[in-house]
Amino acid sequence: MSGGRHSSAQRAFPWVAAGRVLFTLALLGCIVFIFSNSMKIGEVSQGSSGRVLALLQGVLRRLGHPALAQRLTDHIVRKLAHFCEYTLEGFLLMLCMRVYTRNYIWHISVPLLGGVLTALVDETIQIYSPGRSSQVTDVWLDSAGVLAGILAALVLMALCGLLFHHCNKE
C-alpha cells in the first residue's frame, strides 16, 4: 500500500519542483521590477507615470467617462501602481508558500512579512534616488496590496481545490 503512495509522490514531484522554480522566479522578477522602479530618478519616474496617466485617461474617455478621466491624477496613478505591484507580489508570495509547504495557511504571516520587508526596502531605496522621496503611507499602501494579493491567491487556491476535488469524485 505504501508503494502506491510513494509512486504517486514520485509522479507529483516534477510538477512541484516546476512550480517552485516558476513561482520563485516570478516572485524574484516582481521584486526586481519594484526595486528598479524605485531606483529611477524622479524625472524619469514622473515621465512614466505621465504616460500611464495619459493612457488611462484616453481609455476612460473612449469608455464614455470624460469627467472621470479629468479627475484621474498623476498622484492617483502612482498610488495605484504601488498597490498593483504589491498585490502581484503578495499573490506570488502566497503561491510560493503553497508550493513549498502543505500547511501554507499556518504560515500566512511569512508572505505578509516578506511583502512588508520589500515595501520597507523599496521606500529606503527611494531615499537615495534623486528627485524621489520616501513615505510611510506608501509602506501602508504597499502592505495593503500584499494582503490583497495574498487573499486573491487564497481564493484562487480554494477554487482550484474545490474544482479538483469535484473532478476527482466523478
Side-chain angles (χ1 to χ4, degrees), residues 91 94-95 104-105 108 149-159:
F91 185 80
M94 198 65 224
L95 293 180
Y104 58 93
I105 295 293
I108 198 167
I150 288 170
L151 293 175
L154 288 171
V155 167
L156 178 68
M157 289 186 287
L159 290 173

Side-chain angles (χ1 to χ4, degrees), residues 104-123:
Y104 58 93
I105 295 293
W106 295 110
H107 303 292
I108 198 167
S109 60
V110 173
L112 191 55
L113 178 61
V116 170
L117 289 174
T118 303
L120 289 169
V121 171
D122 183 38
E123 290 302 310

Side-chain angles (χ1 to χ4, degrees), residues 31-68:
I31 293 170
V32 166
F33 177 76
I34 289 169
F35 289 169
S36 69
N37 282 334
S38 291
M39 290 179 196
K40 292 178 181 174
I41 63 171
E43 190 176 300
V44 172
S45 177
Q46 190 72 30
S48 297
S49 297
R51 286 188 297 279
V52 172
L53 174 62
L55 175 76
L56 291 175
Q57 286 176 329
V59 168
L60 287 170
R61 285 187 187 102
R62 280 188 163 240
L63 293 174
H65 300 287
L68 187 57

Side-chain angles (χ1 to χ4, degrees), residues 14-27:
W15 292 108
V16 171
R20 287 177 179 172
V21 169
L22 177 70
F23 293 135
T24 301
L25 288 176
L27 175 61

Side-chain angles (χ1 to χ4, degrees), residues 2-169:
S2 67
R5 285 176 77 189
H6 184 67
S7 62
S8 173
Q10 284 177 328
R11 282 192 306 264
F13 181 75
W15 292 108
V16 171
R20 287 177 179 172
V21 169
L22 177 70
F23 293 135
T24 301
L25 288 176
L27 175 61
L28 291 173
C30 179
I31 293 170
V32 166
F33 177 76
I34 289 169
F35 289 169
S36 69
N37 282 334
S38 291
M39 290 179 196
K40 292 178 181 174
I41 63 171
E43 190 176 300
V44 172
S45 177
Q46 190 72 30
S48 297
S49 297
R51 286 188 297 279
V52 172
L53 174 62
L55 175 76
L56 291 175
Q57 286 176 329
V59 168
L60 287 170
R61 285 187 187 102
R62 280 188 163 240
L63 293 174
H65 300 287
L68 187 57
Q70 188 63 33
R71 283 191 211 114
L72 188 61
T73 65
D74 185 65
H75 179 76
I76 293 170
V77 167
R78 292 173 83 76
K79 297 308 172 185
L80 280 173
H82 266 272
F83 187 81
C84 291
E85 288 173 336
Y86 281 89
T87 298
L88 177 60
E89 184 191 9
F91 185 80
L92 293 170
L93 280 163
M94 198 65 224
L95 293 180
C96 277
M97 183 57 63
R98 172 61 183 95
V99 295
Y100 282 102
T101 179
R102 290 177 172 258
N103 298 321
Y104 58 93
I105 295 293
W106 295 110
H107 303 292
I108 198 167
S109 60
V110 173
L112 191 55
L113 178 61
V116 170
L117 289 174
T118 303
L120 289 169
V121 171
D122 183 38
E123 290 302 310
T124 303
I125 289 170
Q126 288 184 32
I127 291 173
Y128 300 101
S129 298
R132 303 289 298 271
S133 66
S134 177
Q135 297 181 4
V136 173
T137 54
D138 282 348
V139 175
W140 283 104
L141 180 64
D142 299 343
S143 299
V146 169
L147 185 58
I150 288 170
L151 293 175
L154 288 171
V155 167
L156 178 68
M157 289 186 287
L159 290 173
C160 287
L162 287 172
L163 178 67
F164 290 124
H165 180 73
H166 178 72
C167 288
N168 287 338
K169 279 186 161 183

